[in-house]
Amino acid sequence: MSVNQQAHTGPPYGQPQPGYQGYQQPAYGGQSLPGVPQAQYGAYNGPMPGYQQPVPPQGYFPSLGFPSKGSPVSLNSDTSSLAPNFIGSLRAPPTSGAPPPASGASHPSGHLAYSQFEHGDVQNGIPASAAPMQRPPASQPFLPGSAPTPVSQISTFQQYGPPPASVQQLRNHMAGMTIGSTAASAPPPAGLGYASVPAVSGSFSATGSGLHTPYSTSQGPPLTSVSEGLPLAQPPFPGQTISTQRLPTQVPGFTPPPPSTGVGPSSYPPTTGAPRPPAMPGPPLPGQTVAGPPSSQPNHVSSPPPPSTMAGLHPGPPMSGLHGPPPPTHPPQPGYQMQQNGSFGQMRGPQPNYGGAYPGAPNYGSPPGPPPPPKRLDPDSIPSPIQVIEDDRNNRGSEPFVTGVRGQVPPLVTTNFLVKDQGNASPRYIRCTSYNIPCTSDMAKQSQVPLAAVIKPLAALPPEETLPYLVDHGESGPVRCNRCKAYMCPFMQFIEGGRRFQCCFCSCVTEVPPHYFQHLDHTGKRVDFYDRPELSLGSYEFLATVDYCKNNKFPSPPAFIFMIDVSYNAVKSGLVRLICEELKSLLDYLPREGNMEESAIRVGFVTYNKVLHFYNVKSSLAQPQMMVVSDVADMFVPLLDGFLVNVNESRTVIASLLDQIPEMFADTRETETVFAPVIQAGLEALKAAECAGKLFIFHTSLPIAEAPGKLKNRDDRKLINTDKEKTLFQPQTSFYNNLAKDCVAQGCCVDLFLFPNQYLDVATLGVVPYQTGGSIYKYAYFQLDTDQYRFLNDLRRDVQKEVGFDAVMRVRTSTGIRATDFFGAFYMSNTTDVEMAGLDCDKTITVEFKHDDKLSEDSGALLQCALLYTSCAGQRRLRIHNLSLNCCTQLADLYRNCETDTLINYLAKYAYRGVLSSPVKTVRDALINQCAQILACYRKNCASPSSAGQLILPECMKLLPVYLNCVLKSDVLQPGPEVTTDDRAYIRQLVTSMDVAETNVFFYPRLLPLTKADVDSDSLPAAIRNSEERLSKGDIYLLENGLNIFVWVGVNVQQGLIQNLFGVSSFSQISNALSTLPVLENPFSKKVRSIVDMLQGQRSRYMKLIIVKQEDKLEMLFKHFLVEDKSLSGGASYVDFLCHMHKEIRQLLS
């Protein structure tokens, strides 16, 4: 039977089948039908010729489980991992007493099956062979006395080892009945023909789902609403052939065991040329065992054929509207198949144009039972972030990632791996949404996959990796293309014996300067190829010449100015004293160039409330001098000499000042503050000193004092979910945008530390830090005892980290694409240059590319990111990162080389910028729509036609729905009642410059069972999924999201563990006020503290530790981060959102 024909379902088991005697039937020993060539199907490129095709042993049932990412599967040019990952739907058990149905039924030869998509004989994905073929009929009933031996067809499934045993185990929730492990099957991968197994009617792949219950036509599709749960199952039409799992031997009349509630994908990854289990021959006679795994079939349930074609059926009402089952599915790529109806209930609804069972059909021998209770889709059966992360670690964590090959997809950000630079920039510097980009803009529009790169130009590297080499070309400066000004890189082509080079970006030919000339070897490479970083590495630095400097003169070393709010709140909370104490020691740790003895950075100090106080700390003074500027409307700096000083020279004067400040303002009654004049003062000081630098501003309240940039309290929660909600994210006044522009021009970067006790208008105060490339840190309701440790850690890291000043970044691309859009903390005065007063090692710039011409598969696409900046020592440098990508003419290649984590990073930033100009609902809908289009395009163009009841996800995007749901539920796009306007503005700005690793853990937090930690090893306990049902009352868990660390303690935790970790004897004595874990001398305490320290070390901010006791009021906050569950603010659970996405995709496809 060809791929395009589908058998009709025959009558139920155990029923006599009159009228079929005249048909020729192939015998089940594998004898071929007389006159019909065996397996004569067109264009079959399945099993490799010459390979022995082993047939799986009868009764072989591999365990069900998630396939692991990245297992070797030889799909045509497909580097993606396992083959179609099925997710079966839950099915209710039939209530009739019929024996277990098998996937097979008679099909009268000569009756043409119709496809669900078009009538008649349709080719699905396999080229038509020129000669018409005879097709043997589908499976037949057993001939009396014949043994149920497998059909002798080539099989194309490989037996696979048992999957990892964490989430794989499927549970059976029904009373006392177990189902033998089922042999799951799946459609073949790309390039496999579908010819080796005859289509067996009435079957869908038994992918661990239970029995399928069709809906009756009277009832129509099940009513589903994502929020209201899943559709109810209907009892099966008694006696109808229902495809099922492979069941153990059954006695006639014995009710089959109920289905397992877990639904797992196939653990048979098909590999090109691998064996496939034989088809299951027809229904067994009573008392016969069903042998062999079920046929490899799509997830379809066929209705019985119209009575006119079935001679001798029991009389019954005619069945209308049945066109035969839909065609089989054969996705050319791995994909998650979900056998659900449109909204992912546990049953599949009727397919479009495809009738269900006739409501008044006769009841063959048993009364219909009541409908079983509705069941949820088992969360274990849908793609698990934990599993994907774990598989990637296992598959890619041990080998170094060598960057010599174009268009390689790097390991995930959650995998710990080493990078060897061999011509492309490390993924620590650049990550892309796809490493194989469409050749044409039409193809890019069709897929809707955004083409973007997340660039972190000054990223910190682990100690085992080499920092970019610094290349000095002397006064002539770096070698560049004459036309497009791209910098010399490994992709430039030297010609004419090395005298010229052709630019890889614009194809212009440029003379090689005489001092740079070198001969070529026999391969056309320069003989000094390996001696020059710019010819052999993806990332390197050039020393810039004076032409690259402002006003054509080399810059002075930068300065740091500490500006401290000394209003009543700041003094009373102990903040002023804390800052002054810390600065005494911190000033010894200012950033310095590699081997310098001391930092070249100069420092200055300002305090302020309604007026500003400048301090002269010149080394020749015995005591610091204070100068007050009360005219804040026209800000100036009252002193030049002695304001910015070298720390070592003025050490005693600075120490004296820092001792005096808390005493001077101890009795202040001033509650009002200014803000804009503080930034203006810092800016003027840097201008006067003719240098770039950074302002560290410590600020506590809304600036309501009479001054430029004065703000009013405009917090209004009533605007949430209205068209005016966007105003909450916009600055109150344009004053700060203009101030930011002036700061960028001078290279004045602002880092803002906020300590609010009420609304502060982060959306407005954050404008200058944001546009100058600075950072915002926020400590709401700051309390010395609980928050000082976190604040001091943040301050230390912020002062010490590597930072470049007065930076300009430009991204060049090869012909065919160009950078069109930029996201991050920066300012742009034109369409190409990203300007930042400061750029530190944690900041990323996200760049989106669009086509402006066709690309070619041969040459690929190139990116070059060039960052011009001033180092901490005042040296002007150029940092260059190069990356080469593949280009494709097939959408399948695009979907095979995407990186979901980077895609989510881009989509979140795109959405978070969208809320400035559009209602939040519009932004949410646009996100869902874009992702539905991405997945629908894959479904339509890369996965072959299959039942609309299946959700098919590309292997490398199978986590897109769960991660997207996390973005949609985030505080910016769906705030709960406890989230303040300031929190939302703060998170919005924070995420906009996050790197991929930070957005990954921010949107899908890491949840670790601490009680499972091995105290004798250095490793972390295995993470679990973010859902309340994964938590056990007897355990302690840690959840981190990059900003907070929660330690959740269950009510039934053993007393000994509580004593070891908290130093108290019972659950009730654990204090919520702890900001650090007590230091106790026992292995469990040491292990947990080492885990916390290790996690803190991986993040750019010090995470706040929050102790949560089960059933405590803080538990609501903790549950907000269990992102696979429904959120209090109305966010869908992962299961429900998956249903919703599936519905959206089906709407797009129909």
Side-chain angles (χ1 to χ4, degrees):
M1 161 150 190
S2 99
V3 96
N4 312 308
Q5 255 186 321
Q6 184 95 12
H8 284 299
T9 314
Y13 301 146
Q15 302 297 334
Q17 302 179 358
Y20 276 56
Q21 288 79 10
Y23 288 107
Q24 284 186 309
Q25 296 172 344
Y28 274 82
Q31 303 96 322
S32 51
L33 202 66
V36 178
Q38 184 75 314
Q40 186 187 11
Y41 303 111
Y44 173 59
N45 52 353
M48 305 275 288
Y51 267 48
Q52 182 84 34
Q53 299 295 344
V55 174
Q58 287 186 25
Y60 169 70
F61 313 122
S63 64
L64 287 162
F66 264 134
S68 62
K69 182 181 192 309
S71 310
V73 178
S74 52
L75 304 177
N76 306 346
S77 77
D78 193 349
T79 52
S80 83
S81 50
L82 299 176
N85 303 314
F86 278 108
I87 298 189
S89 51
L90 290 178
R91 322 274 186 203
T95 42
S96 75
S103 358
S106 310
H107 171 47
S109 61
H111 179 80
L112 188 63
Y114 284 91
S115 133
Q116 158 192 2
F117 296 93
E118 287 180 48
H119 288 298
D121 206 17
V122 190
Q123 284 284 9
N124 285 321
I126 297 177
S129 118
M133 297 184 187
Q134 290 175 277
R135 299 183 169 95
S139 57
Q140 273 73 17
F142 280 92
L143 297 182
S146 70
T149 48
V151 179
S152 65
Q153 294 278 1
I154 311 166
S155 28
T156 44
F157 263 78
Q158 184 180 16
Q159 299 171 18
Y160 213 61
S166 53
V167 280
Q168 322 310 21
Q169 309 310 329
L170 299 181
R171 303 184 300 273
N172 175 16
H173 287 240
M174 297 294 190
M177 309 208 71
T178 38
I179 296 184
S181 43
T182 55
S185 36
L192 282 187
Y194 211 69
S196 53
V197 178
V200 180
S201 102
S203 75
F204 65 103
S205 340
T207 54
S209 63
L211 306 172
H212 177 74
T213 316
Y215 289 96
S216 65
T217 42
S218 62
Q219 120 202 32
L223 294 167
T224 39
S225 105
V226 174
S227 55
E228 289 171 21
L230 299 155
L232 290 166
Q234 290 296 319
F237 171 78
Q240 186 176 334
T241 307
I242 299 166
S243 58
T244 170
Q245 297 172 293
R246 163 76 177 79
L247 297 167
T249 310
Q250 296 285 330
V251 192
F254 182 75
T255 316
S260 56
T261 49
V263 201
S266 153
S267 27
Y268 268 155
T271 350
T272 312
R276 175 197 294 260
M280 197 186 225
L285 294 177
Q288 250 179 332
T289 20
V290 182
S295 72
S296 178
Q297 264 303 95
N299 308 321
H300 293 306
V301 176
S302 315
S303 302
S308 59
T309 62
M310 297 175 67
L313 244 186
H314 284 276
M319 306 211 180
S320 57
L322 300 178
H323 296 299
T329 144
H330 32 225
Q333 276 189 293
Y336 263 96
Q337 307 247 357
M338 308 219 172
Q339 313 155 347
Q340 278 3 85
N341 60 14
S343 356
F344 264 69
Q346 73 267 34
M347 305 296 160
R348 271 245 333 283
Q351 305 309 323
N353 310 323
Y354 185 66
Y358 188 79
N363 190 344
Y364 290 115
S366 58
K375 281 192 219 68
R376 276 177 65 96
L377 178 65
D378 182 11
D380 278 345
S381 67
I382 54 184
S384 158
I386 304 303
Q387 192 62 51
V388 170
I389 289 168
E390 195 52 44
D391 292 342
D392 193 75
R393 277 191 190 134
N394 295 336
N395 295 331
R396 305 197 64 182
S398 50
E399 293 295 310
F401 178 69
V402 181
T403 71
V405 183
R406 181 175 86 189
Q408 274 189 110
V409 183
L412 298 181
V413 283
T414 42
T415 298
N416 198 6
F417 61 99
L418 271 183
V419 179
K420 285 194 174 162
D421 185 342
Q422 290 191 2
N424 282 293
S426 160
R428 301 192 206 288
Y429 295 123
I430 306 182
R431 274 185 181 266
C432 294
T433 51
S434 179
Y435 288 81
N436 200 332
I437 61 181
C439 282
T440 64
S441 60
D442 289 347
M443 200 170 146
K445 279 184 194 132
Q446 189 185 359
S447 74
Q448 286 285 316
V449 176
L451 306 175
V454 179
I455 306 173
K456 196 176 183 183
L458 297 179
L461 298 182
E464 313 83 78
E465 292 178 21
T466 322
L467 290 167
Y469 290 99
L470 182 59
V471 179
D472 184 359
H473 282 314
E475 287 185 12
S476 59
V479 178
R480 304 175 70 175
C481 166
N482 269 347
R483 185 198 287 159
C484 70
K485 302 297 183 209
Y487 294 86
M488 179 54 66
C489 71
F491 313 121
M492 297 290 190
Q493 193 68 43
F494 287 89
I495 53 175
E496 297 178 26
R499 287 189 296 280
R500 296 171 159 211
F501 69 89
Q502 184 169 28
C503 177
C504 50
F505 294 93
C506 70
S507 305
C508 174
V509 174
T510 302
E511 294 280 335
V512 173
H515 72 90
Y516 198 71
F517 173 78
Q518 187 55 272
H519 294 286
L520 308 183
D521 65 10
H522 64 286
T523 65
K525 264 185 189 171
R526 283 172 55 122
V527 294
D528 61 353
F529 179 81
Y530 290 108
D531 303 333
R532 290 193 176 273
E534 73 273 23
L535 298 181
S536 54
L537 299 176
S539 301
Y540 42 87
E541 291 199 314
F542 292 121
L543 206 53
T545 58
V546 75
D547 308 336
Y548 291 89
C549 303
K550 253 188 206 162
N551 308 326
N552 276 13
K553 63 181 216 181
F554 285 112
S556 311
F560 282 1
I561 304 177
F562 297 91
M563 315 184 90
I564 306 166
D565 176 347
V566 289
S567 62
Y568 177 77
N569 277 343
V571 174
K572 186 166 176 283
S573 66
L575 181 62
V576 174
R577 188 175 296 279
L578 181 69
I579 293 168
C580 292
E581 282 301 317
E582 178 60 29
L583 286 179
K584 286 182 200 170
S585 54
L586 187 54
L587 294 177
D588 289 333
Y589 296 97
L590 298 177
R592 64 189 81 180
E593 238 21 82
N595 48 9
M596 289 170 59
E597 298 236 337
E598 62 174 59
S599 175
I601 292 173
R602 293 171 297 161
V603 297
F605 302 90
V606 172
T607 57
Y608 67 95
N609 38 45
K610 257 173 41 175
V611 297
L612 277 78
H613 322 102
F614 292 80
Y615 297 93
N616 184 345
V617 281
K618 199 172 176 181
S619 57
S620 56
L621 294 174
Q623 283 293 325
Q625 294 172 346
M626 177 165 100
M627 297 184 183
V628 181
V629 176
S630 54
D631 182 8
V632 288
D634 183 18
M635 185 44 62
F636 67 99
V637 179
L639 75 162
L640 292 179
D641 190 28
F643 179 64
L644 293 178
V645 296
N646 174 294
V647 173
N648 278 344
E649 290 170 9
S650 298
R651 183 174 296 279
T652 51
V653 192
I654 291 172
S656 170
L657 170 67
L658 293 172
D659 284 335
Q660 288 175 36
I661 288 174
E663 306 309 325
M664 264 191 292
F665 298 100
D667 301 323
T668 186
R669 286 282 168 266
E670 186 53 74
T671 55
E672 291 189 359
T673 57
V674 295
F675 184 70
V678 181
I679 298 174
Q680 287 172 326
L683 173 59
E684 292 302 321
L686 294 176
K687 269 186 188 166
E690 295 185 345
C691 68
K694 187 182 265 197
L695 314 182
F696 294 84
I697 303 179
F698 305 92
H699 189 78
T700 60
S701 59
L702 190 70
I704 54 171
E706 210 47 60
K710 170 187 173 180
L711 300 178
K712 59 179 190 289
N713 187 336
R714 52 157 188 168
D715 189 18
D716 186 0
R717 290 193 60 83
K718 292 199 285 295
L719 297 182
I720 291 177
N721 295 327
T722 69
D723 284 353
K724 288 190 175 171
E725 184 173 4
K726 58 178 178 277
T727 60
L728 298 175
F729 296 109
Q730 297 164 353
Q732 278 189 44
T733 155
S734 61
F735 181 88
Y736 288 95
N737 296 74
N738 298 326
L739 182 55
K741 184 177 167 182
D742 296 341
C743 287
V744 172
Q746 181 54 42
C748 169
C749 175
V750 177
D751 278 2
L752 182 56
F753 293 80
L754 294 173
F755 306 88
N757 289 332
Q758 56 199 29
Y759 179 71
L760 191 74
D761 203 349
V762 173
T764 306
L765 298 189
V767 167
V768 178
Y770 184 68
Q771 292 192 13
T772 58
S775 305
I776 305 178
Y777 297 84
K778 182 166 161 286
Y779 310 88
Y781 307 106
F782 178 81
Q783 288 185 312
L784 208 59
D785 49 348
T786 54
D787 295 316
Q788 66 164 328
Y789 198 62
R790 178 165 64 109
F791 161 58
L792 293 179
N793 272 285
D794 282 341
L795 178 59
R796 286 167 196 157
R797 191 168 187 282
D798 196 57
V799 167
Q800 294 173 41
K801 67 185 172 187
E802 184 192 350
V803 59
F805 294 96
D806 229 341
V808 182
M809 188 185 97
R810 182 175 281 195
V811 179
R812 292 179 174 83
T813 53
S814 53
T815 312
I817 53 168
R818 62 193 170 89
T820 55
D821 211 349
F822 302 84
F823 304 82
F826 52 75
Y827 173 78
M828 290 186 84
S829 56
N830 58 33
T831 57
T832 54
D833 295 336
V834 174
E835 299 172 52
M836 294 156 287
L839 174 68
D840 63 48
C841 55
D842 298 321
K843 295 285 184 303
T844 61
I845 294 95
T846 302
V847 185
E848 187 180 8
F849 303 97
K850 290 260 164 59
H851 287 74
D852 56 8
D853 204 347
K854 278 191 176 152
L855 295 164
S856 102
E857 281 190 280
D858 301 335
S859 53
L862 302 174
L863 317 177
Q864 184 178 78
C865 161
L867 176 78
L868 176 63
Y869 70 100
T870 302
S871 74
C872 297
Q875 202 176 49
R876 202 71 176 145
R877 294 181 177 182
L878 281 153
R879 180 169 287 202
I880 312 294
H881 297 298
N882 302 287
L883 186 63
S884 59
L885 302 172
N886 287 329
C887 296
C888 57
T889 53
Q890 299 295 320
L891 282 165
D893 292 326
L894 163 69
Y895 282 102
R896 212 172 271 139
N897 292 281
C898 286
E899 234 250 307
T900 300
D901 293 323
T902 311
L903 193 55
I904 287 292
N905 179 285
Y906 165 83
L907 290 171
K909 290 171 181 177
Y910 184 77
Y912 281 17
R913 188 178 67 183
V915 298
L916 292 173
S917 52
S918 306
V920 172
K921 184 181 185 311
T922 310
V923 173
R924 291 168 48 83
D925 291 347
L927 266 186
I928 294 173
N929 185 45
Q930 181 168 7
C931 287
Q933 285 187 316
I934 291 172
L935 297 174
C937 174
Y938 172 82
R939 171 64 182 260
K940 185 177 172 187
N941 299 287
C942 306
S944 293
S946 56
S947 145
Q950 296 164 327
L951 172 59
I952 303 178
L953 301 174
E955 174 64 25
C956 64
M957 283 190 191
K958 61 189 179 193
L959 298 182
L960 187 60
V962 61
Y963 285 164
L964 178 70
N965 191 32
C966 297
V967 174
L968 293 169
K969 286 159 70 166
S970 63
D971 291 338
V972 173
L973 297 182
Q974 194 161 33
E978 73 296 335
V979 181
T980 67
T981 307
D982 276 346
D983 285 335
R984 297 178 73 194
Y986 173 62
I987 294 297
R988 195 192 77 76
Q989 293 199 7
L990 204 57
V991 168
T992 307
S993 49
M994 275 186 182
D995 71 7
V996 180
E998 288 171 322
T999 49
N1000 174 272
V1001 78
F1002 179 75
F1003 289 115
Y1004 192 93
R1006 176 152 56 164
L1007 183 58
L1008 305 173
L1010 293 178
T1011 26
K1012 306 275 191 295
D1014 179 0
V1015 293
D1016 300 321
S1017 89
D1018 293 337
S1019 61
L1020 291 172
I1024 59 171
R1025 290 171 69 169
N1026 280 258
S1027 173
E1028 193 176 354
E1029 60 187 44
R1030 311 274 165 179
L1031 304 179
S1032 145
K1033 289 183 175 185
D1035 287 324
I1036 301 174
Y1037 297 87
L1038 178 150
L1039 182 144
E1040 64 124 355
N1041 74 338
L1043 296 182
N1044 301 302
I1045 290 182
F1046 293 90
V1047 174
W1048 182 90
V1049 187
V1051 286
N1052 297 344
V1053 173
Q1054 292 170 5
Q1055 201 176 337
L1057 283 175
I1058 291 174
Q1059 183 72 51
N1060 282 345
L1061 188 56
F1062 300 104
V1064 295
S1065 54
S1066 72
F1067 178 80
S1068 59
Q1069 291 174 295
I1070 299 171
S1071 164
N1072 290 109
L1074 290 174
S1075 59
T1076 55
L1077 290 168
V1079 178
L1080 303 172
E1081 286 305 311
N1082 65 70
F1084 185 59
S1085 171
K1086 285 179 183 167
K1087 176 67 184 177
V1088 172
R1089 283 182 289 115
S1090 79
I1091 289 174
V1092 170
D1093 291 346
M1094 181 175 155
L1095 299 181
Q1096 293 283 20
Q1098 292 173 2
R1099 305 292 168 219
S1100 61
R1101 289 167 183 249
Y1102 195 83
M1103 294 181 280
K1104 180 178 186 175
L1105 183 77
I1106 301 169
I1107 309 292
V1108 178
K1109 290 155 54 173
Q1110 189 177 358
E1111 294 161 12
D1112 187 64
K1113 61 181 185 297
L1114 269 175
E1115 200 182 21
M1116 298 312 273
L1117 180 62
F1118 171 75
K1119 285 181 181 175
H1120 177 68
F1121 296 98
L1122 298 176
V1123 290
E1124 288 197 20
D1125 299 338
K1126 267 188 183 147
S1127 70
L1128 290 171
S1129 52
S1133 69
Y1134 175 18
V1135 168
D1136 289 346
F1137 184 68
L1138 209 47
C1139 309
H1140 182 66
M1141 280 303 285
H1142 189 202
K1143 199 166 79 189
E1144 293 283 326
I1145 292 165
R1146 284 178 71 171
Q1147 277 174 353
L1148 286 172
L1149 290 175
S1150 61

